[in-house]
Amino acid sequence: MSKTIVIYGSSTGTCETIAEKIAQKLGCEALNVQELTADVVAANQNLILGTSTWGAGELQDDWYDGLSVLKGADLSGKTIALFGCGDCSTYSDTFVGGIGELYDGIKQSGAQFIGAVPTDGYTFDDSSAVVDGKFIGLPLDDINEDDKTDARIDAWVAQISPNL
């Protein structure tokens, strides 16, 4: 496996806990996006990026600076997988929109995106994280569907691992 890092932005700790679970399963480090630098990006071939979603489908606050770091780095040839937290009940019309914002910010970077997830089994009305009928990363609702979180993480890690 090439060098991999999980980078997360978390305001309440939920996305941080999920990032740590994913990192542990992949045998790599989890890093708060506040510590993201161009050197961190350059040192890792695989970037697993996670964000919670706030307001009307917005990124977690710390990701705005993190996205600037990513946009300024050379991502061509790197592999990127996205995951995010959202609330499919209260915010069913912007469910995990933070994933969509991350993707939109770096989709033209030359990186290869992996880890798309079918929308089957999710209850939501709309999401900017759905591209071509699939979520562009792993969506998690640890509020309303916490009983599904671990199984979804396990399936997703098994899906992306061969490509890392």
Side-chain angles (χ1 to χ4, degrees):
M1 180 181 347
S2 301
K3 189 142 187 212
T4 300
I5 191 165
V6 177
I7 303 163
Y8 66 89
S10 186
S11 295
T12 64
T14 301
C15 195
E16 178 180 7
T17 299
I18 289 168
E20 289 170 352
K21 284 181 184 182
I22 292 169
Q24 189 267 331
K25 291 176 184 300
L26 292 173
C28 68
E29 176 187 359
L31 181 76
N32 189 309
V33 69
Q34 293 173 323
E35 301 173 38
L36 181 62
T37 64
D39 290 340
V40 169
V41 175
N44 291 278
Q45 177 60 33
N46 306 305
L47 306 173
I48 315 299
L49 310 176
T51 183
S52 49
T53 299
W54 293 92
E58 299 163 13
L59 279 171
Q60 189 271 344
D61 288 343
D62 300 324
W63 262 112
Y64 290 101
D65 288 339
L67 195 52
S68 292
V69 171
L70 292 175
K71 287 179 177 180
D74 181 9
L75 300 178
S76 59
K78 293 195 181 283
T79 300
I80 295 177
L82 305 171
F83 70 94
C85 305
D87 180 338
C88 68
S89 178
T90 306
Y91 298 99
S92 67
D93 58 337
T94 59
F95 181 55
V96 295
I99 299 173
E101 282 206 31
L102 271 180
Y103 177 73
D104 286 346
I106 57 175
K107 67 183 176 185
Q108 301 299 325
S109 66
Q112 173 192 4
F113 288 85
I114 62 170
V117 173
T119 59
D120 302 343
Y122 288 89
T123 304
F124 67 102
D125 292 323
D126 195 20
S127 177
S128 63
V130 174
V131 175
D132 297 329
K134 289 185 172 185
F135 286 106
I136 53 174
L138 175 65
L140 298 166
D141 181 343
D142 211 45
I143 297 166
N144 302 295
E145 298 181 336
D146 59 320
D147 59 319
K148 299 177 182 179
T149 297
D150 287 338
R152 286 175 171 166
I153 290 171
D154 288 345
W156 188 69
V157 167
Q159 174 191 343
I160 67 171
S161 290
N163 299 301
L164 300 177

